[in-house]
Amino acid sequence: MKHFLNILILIALLGFAGFSLAEPAAEPAPESVSVQITTTPTATSVAVTPPTINKGDTAWMIMATVLVILMVIPGLALFYGGMVRAKNMLSVLMQVFVIFSMMAVLWAIYGYSIAFTEGNAFFGGFSKMFLIGITPDSIAATFSKGVYIPEYIYVAFQLTFAGITPALIIGAFAERVKFSAILVFMLIWFTFAYLPMAHMVWYWAGPDAYTDAKAGETAAATAGLLFQKGALDFAGGTVVHINAGIAGLVGCLLVGKRIGFQKESLAPHSVTLTMVGASLLWVGWFGFNVGSNLEANGLSALVFVNTLLASAAATLAWTAAEWIIRGKPSMLGGASGAIAGLVAITPACGWSGPMGAICLGIVAGAACFAAVTSLKGILGYDDSLDAFGVHGIGGIIGALGTAVVANPALGGTGVWDYVANGVAEYSFSTQFISQLWGVVTCIIWSGAVSFIAFKFVDIMIGLRVSEESEREGLDISEHGETAYHI
């Protein structure tokens, strides 16, 4: 009961803080909001052009998909693995590797269909279960009218997002949860948290459906809930980072603290490997963000620059904050800062200008440092590898900050109106409220699903390993092997 109350208080504080920011002069949404999408395209032709598949776009999407796989295995695995104690290194590698594999299979069986086919505002349908009906000739819409990519590569690209998001969660309760419990939880969470959020934020009818105002209204009515609300999430600030961060927070509260937390050293066993993992994440993130444009064009170049600058700025901000407060800058802090910047720019990378990306990175680096050093200590939860402190907090900052940096008056690109075939008139207050819809919905949805899923797994098979197994280390107790033989 105590854990449940703590979770409700934390979720309420996050939600209330967001709503309190939205009070000043909320304006009615303009007509174009219903046809806003998650990027600013280059196409400006009013006429609907015949579908074309560009080999350059296709080649880039294949490369972007490979880069996101690099983010997960080995990037995330090494980033997280270096931060645990040596006796738990292999367990983290195993968890990331198997979770990714499991999500890939589930995505093909039913995940893609539920996330990216028409259904209702929360869930898609089952028309493409087992990828039925998809052939090498099938096409998927991009963000320019008349421009398409092969549907198979779109399936694979979105698969990598579905694979990395659940894997992010394990950082919050590393070193103390049963491998079997993690897999059962991920099955439930993927089905009832990830897939609905992906559908709510990213599903729409495609740009060619917006031929005129009436057609635009009809098409928008079939889109996901948060898409209809005008929420912007270019590459996963809500769907990936807030979603996983909140699940991690709920998990670490329900599982409880590690043995010896704040009483004995739980220091990372290899900051070197963490730095290597962070570097692989940074490189792979260009596939994550730039690939989300689905085309190889000028906007893709802007997304690339924004991703690079935000992460660099956040690295400097975290390092500076740590240097000032603790007296010495650490490699672990620098690596964490880079990831915080990448998280924050993810939802905004297609709308921000380069200077906006730098500002967002600075804010995220400093704020996430405060979250993992002060907030965690004040509230007393054991978020082992700071999954909530970096992904949850960084994702919230990025999602809300998107409304700021997207403003054309501040160097942003604005938001494209597919009916008028031009940039829509921008209203900061309207867009901020749309972003708030996305953040609060994700916090509540992920928090509720995660709580129920963790409780179910705990009742069925138990969440936590025994004290003896935890002291021995999960490498031996859960997998019967070790990462190192010294």
Side-chain angles (χ1 to χ4, degrees):
M1 190 65 179
K2 180 181 177 182
H3 293 311
F4 178 69
L5 291 175
N6 285 338
I7 293 167
L8 287 180
I9 291 169
L10 284 167
I11 292 175
L13 286 172
L14 288 170
F16 179 77
F19 278 120
S20 66
L21 290 171
E23 291 179 0
E27 300 176 7
E31 289 294 322
S32 60
V33 168
S34 64
V35 293
Q36 290 175 358
I37 59 107
T38 54
T39 188
T40 304
T42 56
T44 58
S45 173
V46 175
V48 177
T49 55
T52 61
I53 293 180
N54 181 280
K55 290 183 178 180
D57 292 337
T58 302
W60 162 239
M61 290 308 300
I62 293 172
M63 189 67 226
T65 303
V66 172
L67 285 170
V68 184
I69 295 173
L70 180 75
M71 287 177 66
V72 196
I73 46 175
L76 181 65
L78 291 177
F79 180 70
Y80 274 174
M83 285 194 281
V84 299
R85 289 165 289 179
K87 63 184 180 179
N88 295 311
M89 170 62 163
L90 192 74
S91 70
V92 171
L93 300 181
M94 183 70 172
Q95 288 168 23
V96 173
F97 204 85
V98 174
I99 286 171
F100 181 81
S101 302
M102 178 179 170
M103 295 306 113
V105 173
L106 294 179
W107 183 254
I109 293 173
Y110 65 87
Y112 177 72
S113 186
I114 291 176
F116 289 106
T117 63
E118 185 176 334
N120 55 46
F122 301 94
F123 293 89
F126 300 105
S127 60
K128 293 187 178 181
M129 280 189 67
F130 305 102
L131 304 184
I132 189 170
I134 301 177
T135 72
D137 296 323
S138 300
I139 56 177
T142 64
F143 300 113
S144 296
K145 291 184 175 180
V147 179
Y148 291 77
I149 59 174
E151 188 170 10
Y152 267 131
I153 194 57
Y154 184 71
V155 170
F157 182 67
Q158 290 295 344
L159 178 156
T160 61
F161 281 60
I164 193 172
T165 306
L168 293 173
I169 300 172
I170 67 166
F173 44 76
E175 303 192 294
R176 57 199 189 274
V177 176
K178 295 177 181 177
F179 185 61
S180 57
I182 287 175
L183 295 184
V184 176
F185 168 80
M186 293 304 172
L187 171 65
I188 299 169
W189 189 87
F190 167 79
T191 305
F192 297 105
Y194 181 81
L195 296 180
M197 282 304 305
H199 183 81
M200 282 190 270
V201 174
W202 286 332
Y203 179 73
W204 68 311
D208 287 341
Y210 293 80
T211 54
D212 55 41
K214 184 176 180 180
E217 291 177 2
T218 301
T222 67
L225 174 69
L226 296 176
F227 187 100
Q228 294 184 41
K229 296 293 183 183
L232 304 176
D233 186 353
F234 195 89
T238 50
V239 180
V240 176
H241 298 294
I242 300 176
N243 210 5
I246 294 300
L249 176 63
V250 173
C252 72
L253 287 170
L254 291 178
V255 172
K257 302 171 186 177
R258 287 169 290 178
I259 296 172
F261 179 68
Q262 294 183 330
K263 296 177 182 178
E264 59 188 66
S265 176
L266 302 176
H269 87 280
S270 178
V271 177
T272 301
L273 288 178
T274 293
M275 184 272 173
V276 172
S279 302
L280 289 169
L281 280 164
W282 194 343
V283 171
W285 222 291
F286 292 107
F288 197 81
N289 283 0
V290 186
S292 293
N293 188 45
L294 305 181
E295 300 174 60
N297 56 24
L299 181 62
S300 300
L302 173 64
V303 175
F304 191 104
V305 169
N306 286 341
T307 302
L308 178 59
L309 292 177
S311 188
T315 299
L316 296 177
W318 187 303
T319 299
E322 187 175 39
W323 204 340
I324 292 168
I325 294 174
R326 293 184 168 179
K328 293 181 181 179
S330 70
M331 182 66 252
L332 181 61
S336 299
I339 303 306
L342 291 165
V343 169
I345 196 60
T346 291
C349 58
W351 292 283
S352 177
M355 297 304 105
I358 291 174
C359 292
L360 196 57
I362 291 172
V363 172
C368 289
F369 170 76
V372 304
T373 56
S374 299
L375 181 64
K376 185 164 67 171
I378 292 170
L379 297 178
Y381 58 87
D382 182 14
D383 180 359
S384 308
L385 312 180
D386 298 312
F388 171 71
V390 173
H391 295 278
I393 298 298
I396 291 170
I397 291 170
L400 297 179
T402 299
V404 178
V405 298
N407 193 337
L410 299 176
T413 63
V415 182
W416 195 261
D417 183 334
Y418 276 99
V419 173
N421 289 288
V423 177
E425 182 178 351
Y426 195 81
S427 168
F428 167 73
S429 59
T430 298
Q431 192 58 57
F432 187 85
I433 291 172
S434 294
Q435 298 306 108
L436 198 61
W437 263 101
V439 170
V440 174
T441 300
C442 189
I443 289 172
I444 295 173
W445 192 286
S446 183
V449 172
S450 300
F451 181 82
I452 294 170
F454 277 120
K455 280 297 185 182
F456 173 80
V457 174
D458 195 25
I459 292 170
M460 295 301 294
I461 59 176
L463 285 171
R464 190 158 183 161
V465 298
S466 67
E467 181 177 343
E468 180 183 357
S469 295
E470 186 174 343
R471 292 191 180 279
E472 182 182 29
L474 302 190
D475 288 5
I476 292 293
S477 63
E478 289 286 294
H479 305 290
E481 53 186 347
T482 61
Y484 307 103
H485 294 278
I486 302 174

